[in-house]
Amino acid sequence: MMQDELVGKSIAYRRDILTYIYESGGGHTGGSLSCVDIINVLYNSIMDITPQNWESLDRDFYIQSKGHSVEALYVVLADQGFLDRSELKTGNKFGTRLIGHPTRKVPGVEHNTGGLGHGLSVAAGLALAAKLDRRASRVFCLLGDGELAEGSNWEAAMTAAYYKLDNLTAIVDRNRLQITGHTADVNKLEPLADKWTAFGWAVHETDGNDVAALAGELRGVPFAAGKPSLLLANTVKGKGVSFIEGEAAWHHKVPTREQLAQAMRELEVQS
Amino acid sequence: MSGATMRVPGAGGWTMGKANLEVFAETVEELARADPALLVVTSDSRGSGKLSSFATRMPERVIEVGIAEQNLVGVAAGLAAGGRNVIAVSPASFLATRSLEQIKHDVCYSDRPVTLVGISAGVSYGALGSTHHSLHDFAALRAIHNITVVAPADNWETREAIRAAASPPGPKGLRSPVYIRFGKQPVPDLPHTGPFAFGKGRIIRAGKDAAFIATGETVWRTLRAAEALSARGVSAAVVSMHTVKPLDETLLREVAGAVRAVVVVEEHSEHGGLGDACARVLMEAGVSPSFRVVALPDEYTVTGSQTEILDHYGISESGLAETMTGLLVGE
């Protein structure tokens, strides 16, 4: 997909995310807006995952370890044809399959996530199975930065390097905010790139809200033969809406009708 | 101590089998030879799991994740998602709670049919102490949806349980997550009655006065107690309730409804295990024989070998016979 199309998709997805959160009455606004460009580029330019090849193992795989940013995933899955867009209206309603964290009941969701620090081990297992079975499948795993305080990520990081899983790419949505505030005020993640390098991963860093930059990096995986790839995607939490950007308070705040209208006006200007 | 022909002292002609752990390793190899998709995932646990020879003969079938039990279960779930038939092996103590959230989210909730094998379960590790004892695994796992919890009593049940859990799946979706736990000491072979199936307890001794409902490696101790009671004129049945969840409620009601006293026996905490499960079923059914649970009490567990610990808490021939006699006398 061409760059201007990707840019247009990101704006449309942001509208859908905000509408979804407003209508469903709940969601992780800041994180979904920070990572949606990554999910956009993965589904529209990088990964071979479609409703048509979904039942096959001869395709790529996507695990969203930061499951709370599920709205970003739902709107992209709807756009990809996994879901009827009208189903987005059911979000968080009683009996819906569109709940606040991804589950496999939703077409296009690979793995149930929500508890943090789970996705990378599962992604490593998927990548290892593909290697053992000589499938060309690639596995992409989206991690939050606050999530990296979970030690299980680093267990998985070691295993991925040990098995030389160069068909595995992890992308860190480095928005530097978590529910309490700045990540640096909660735990010591830095030097984050050096940590991944020391764990045996090939690390690249990019602007995680720049679809062209993201696409350029992700087309280049694996970054090194015989190593898993780590893309440190520097993002802005709440990206695209002035009063949400960089505000930890918007971690899971729901916009009012006025705020939604204001956000839509800002996104309209960007398109 | 192993050897198929060794007589078990005082055990009325039973023969001593192997450790269930050894039977597990043999069965894994048997299944691996028949199923190219089978993988065993270990967390530096291949030696403890008696899988070293298997790993030497079929190295491509063993995935090692290091001492990282959370990762063990997550990777196992991923391998299963990638089409593999996966057995994850780790000491029961660590597998059932260090990895509990991975079992809950990545295996059960995500419906990835991994076979989770908890080795050296209960107080098998004896003097190594409470860090290594798994007296909580039934309780923790019973509360999780979409998992079968199994404690085989002897070599035959172990072999059948591993086969049932990890044989190649039939039509899509037939296999589901299973947790199987066993010990590492040789156990006697028990009478084999009827086929093995998850969720179906086995009556291995009939009785009309009383019934023991036991699971795992307490079953043979219970059978000895029943034999001792027989000499005193008490006819006690013994049920191997190898599947703690889903519980064979029908068999439990039938057996308990036909006797005056029921004793449930398990190598587990008195909280949240087979005993609690049986009590609920019987109370809800209005079946009310005299009832007692013999399990490990809620205290710092005494130190000693597995046998010494179980003897101390009355999970022994004399202890169980005494408990049952007391129940019958106290009616």
Side-chain angles (χ1 to χ4, degrees), chain A residues 55 57 99 103-104 110-112 115-118 121-122 124-126 128-129 132-133 135 152 155-156 159 162-163, chain B residues 39 60 62-65 68-71 74-75 77-79 81-84 101-102 105-106 109-112 172:
Chain A
E55 293 298 327
L57 291 175
I99 60 169
T103 80
R104 294 178 59 214
E110 198 70 57
H111 192 72
N112 299 11
L116 296 171
H118 285 251
S121 285
V122 178
L126 272 165
L128 181 54
L132 293 171
D133 294 339
R135 280 182 279 116
S152 47
E155 296 183 1
T159 289
Y162 175 76
Y163 280 104
Chain B
L39 288 175
E60 74 286 358
V62 177
I63 301 299
E64 178 61 67
V65 300
E69 290 83 10
Q70 298 179 69
N71 193 34
V75 167
L79 288 165
R84 291 304 196 114
E101 197 176 89
Q102 277 74 17
H105 297 193
D106 301 325
Y109 184 42
S110 292
D111 197 22
R112 296 303 185 188
K172 193 174 169 185

Side-chain angles (χ1 to χ4, degrees), chain B residues 61-275:
Chain B
R61 299 304 189 88
V62 177
I63 301 299
E64 178 61 67
V65 300
I67 306 168
E69 290 83 10
Q70 298 179 69
N71 193 34
L72 170 87
V73 176
V75 167
L79 288 165
R84 291 304 196 114
N85 177 13
V86 185
I87 302 176
V89 184
S90 191
S93 174
F94 313 132
L95 182 64
T97 41
R98 185 65 169 259
S99 334
L100 183 61
E101 197 176 89
Q102 277 74 17
I103 294 174
K104 172 178 168 246
H105 297 193
D106 301 325
V107 173
C108 299
Y109 184 42
S110 292
D111 197 22
R112 296 303 185 188
V114 174
T115 302
L116 301 156
V117 172
I119 55 178
S120 299
V123 293
S124 290
Y125 278 122
L128 293 187
S130 287
T131 54
H132 284 58
H133 296 165
S134 61
L135 298 174
H136 51 273
D137 48 350
F138 296 162
L141 296 174
R142 277 183 64 222
I144 292 176
H145 172 61
N146 193 28
I147 190 165
T148 299
V149 179
V150 182
D154 66 354
N155 292 177
W156 182 77
E157 285 191 0
T158 301
R159 193 176 293 112
E160 293 297 316
I162 298 294
R163 283 177 179 162
S167 289
K172 193 174 169 185
L174 273 189
R175 196 197 272 152
S176 61
V178 181
Y179 172 78
I180 302 173
R181 62 106 107 168
F182 42 72
K184 59 186 206 166
Q185 297 299 329
V187 292
D189 277 323
L190 303 176
H192 300 158
T193 53
F196 181 92
F198 290 143
K200 295 288 175 197
R202 295 194 308 129
I203 299 174
I204 57 175
R205 181 189 172 91
K208 59 182 176 48
D209 302 320
F212 288 105
I213 311 293
T215 194
E217 293 167 30
T218 66
V219 176
W220 69 267
R221 291 173 167 86
T222 303
L223 193 51
R224 280 188 178 178
E227 289 174 350
L229 285 168
S230 172
R232 298 183 212 166
V234 175
S235 169
V238 175
V239 173
S240 171
M241 198 63 91
H242 49 72
T243 307
V244 172
K245 185 196 163 191
L247 189 60
D248 189 345
E249 299 184 7
T250 305
L251 179 68
L252 176 62
R253 284 191 296 264
E254 279 173 16
V255 169
V259 295
R260 286 155 38 216
V262 167
V263 173
V264 181
V265 192
E266 58 187 322
E267 190 175 349
H268 185 272
S269 162
E270 63 187 358
H271 296 307
L274 180 66

Side-chain angles (χ1 to χ4, degrees), chain A residues 168-220:
Chain A
L168 172 63
T169 299
I171 303 147
V172 176
D173 177 16
R174 182 72 171 117
N175 61 33
R176 295 176 189 268
L177 286 176
Q178 57 194 105
I179 196 164
T180 298
H182 289 276
T183 54
D185 294 334
V186 179
N187 210 333
K188 184 162 170 56
L189 292 176
E190 294 293 345
L192 192 51
D194 291 349
K195 283 195 172 86
W196 286 97
T197 304
F199 273 73
W201 290 57
V203 180
H204 283 198
E205 194 164 351
T206 193
D207 180 340
N209 292 125
D210 179 336
V211 288
L214 283 165
E217 288 291 353
L218 290 167
R219 283 191 192 108

